[in-house]
């Protein structure tokens, strides 16, 4: 990858990655790319599609199908990073959460050259965050992200691997999207302090340390 995206946004479904990403890109004067929009072309390169995911879900169940699809998601992340230098890139929830260590390693390695990887969460409190994400998902997608008793929202929210990919965490509680975007953009300005990535083995269930922004007691 000759030049990486300037900023990558990650987080659970309904965390606000697309909304905040588009607003942040406008502030920075950079192109915005949502992997949920461009992903199908990359999935097709390795023989996957949303249609195939739906078919596999009907045959083996949604959870098993999502696991099968992990390699295609990891491939899409790597390709999107390669093809969109200097952009603000939003990664859908499943693109940063993996049960396969090999797929996670692909994404972890691909993100190492990105200067800012911002994890968006609605609240520092797990239960409050989960309730907010669930309400947003129902309002925007008509789903609670629960399939056959498996809670995907909780899986993404609790995923230590996803958290380890971030250089910093921004908590959005009590902030208008415009305010959050301005905060994220300020962190990308020349001279802004770079936050070190956590090691791959980081495993706490909650964000902590100086890289957490916007935390309200």
């Amino acid at each position: 990858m000759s030049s990486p995206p300037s900023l990558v946004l990650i987080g659970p479904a309904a965390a606000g990655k697309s909304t905040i990403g588009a607003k942040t890109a406008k502030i920075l004067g950079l192109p915005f790319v949502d992997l949920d929009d461009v992903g199908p072309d990359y999935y097709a390169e390795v023989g996957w599609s949303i249609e195939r995911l739906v078919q596999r879900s009907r045959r083996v169940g949604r959870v098993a199908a999502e696991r099968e699809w992990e390699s295609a998601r990891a491939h899409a992340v790597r390709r999107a990073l390669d093809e969109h230098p200097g952009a603000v890139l939003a990664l859908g929830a499943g693109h940063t959460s993996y049960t396969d260590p090999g797929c996670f390693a692909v994404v972890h390695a691909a993100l190492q050259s990105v200067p800012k990887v911002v994890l968006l969460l609605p609240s520092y409190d797990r239960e409050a965050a989960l309730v907010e994400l669930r309400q947003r998902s129902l309002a925007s997608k008509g789903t609670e992200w629960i399939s056959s008793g498996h809670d995907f929202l909780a899986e993404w929210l609790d995923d230590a691997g996803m958290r380890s990919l971030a250089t910093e965490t921004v908590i959005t509680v009590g902030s208008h999207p415009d305010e959050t975007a301005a905060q994220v953009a300020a962190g990308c300005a020349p001279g802004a302090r770079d936050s070190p990535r956590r090691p791959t083995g980081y495993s706490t269930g909650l964000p902590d340390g100086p890289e957490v922004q916007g935390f309200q007691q």
Side-chain angles (χ1 to χ4, degrees), residues 15-103:
K17 301 178 293 297
S18 297
T19 299
I20 303 304
K23 290 178 177 293
T24 302
K26 185 175 181 179
I27 293 171
L28 295 173
L30 297 173
F32 172 66
V33 179
D34 192 329
L35 187 51
D36 285 344
D37 294 334
V38 301
D41 287 342
Y42 302 136
Y43 306 148
E45 292 174 350
V46 290
W48 272 90
S49 64
I50 299 300
E51 291 75 16
R52 181 182 174 187
L53 174 64
V54 171
Q55 292 171 358
R56 292 299 295 160
S57 295
R58 290 171 179 162
R59 182 168 183 176
V60 302
R62 180 64 183 273
V63 176
E66 287 284 344
R67 305 315 184 215
E68 292 178 358
W69 192 38
E70 288 188 2
S71 60
R73 299 201 308 265
H75 172 78
V77 172
R78 183 179 60 78
R79 292 283 285 116
L81 291 170
D82 284 343
E83 291 202 335
H84 299 285
V88 174
L89 176 63
L91 301 183
H95 295 94
T96 51
S97 182
Y98 298 90
T99 59
D100 185 315
C103 292

Side-chain angles (χ1 to χ4, degrees), residues 77-177:
V77 172
R78 183 179 60 78
R79 292 283 285 116
L81 291 170
D82 284 343
E83 291 202 335
H84 299 285
V88 174
L89 176 63
L91 301 183
H95 295 94
T96 51
S97 182
Y98 298 90
T99 59
D100 185 315
C103 292
F104 176 78
V106 169
V107 173
H108 180 269
L111 286 170
Q112 290 307 295
S113 61
V114 179
K116 291 286 183 180
V117 180
V118 176
L119 169 62
L120 294 179
L121 294 174
S123 174
Y124 190 74
D125 178 80
R126 180 189 183 277
E127 294 308 314
L130 196 56
V131 168
E132 178 66 19
L133 293 169
R134 192 96 61 205
Q135 291 175 344
R136 292 181 190 176
S137 293
L138 279 169
S140 63
K141 302 290 186 181
T143 180
E144 292 185 311
W145 286 108
I146 297 174
S147 179
S148 301
H150 184 83
D151 191 336
F152 284 102
L153 270 181
E155 176 182 312
W156 295 325
L157 181 62
D158 295 337
D159 185 28
M162 179 187 69
R163 293 173 185 274
S164 75
L165 298 172
T167 60
E168 60 189 75
T169 302
V170 171
I171 304 300
T172 62
V173 62
S175 297
H176 187 275

Side-chain angles (χ1 to χ4, degrees), residues 178-195:
D178 288 342
E179 297 173 324
T180 301
Q183 179 184 352
V184 173
C188 297
R193 180 179 66 85
D194 288 332
S195 301

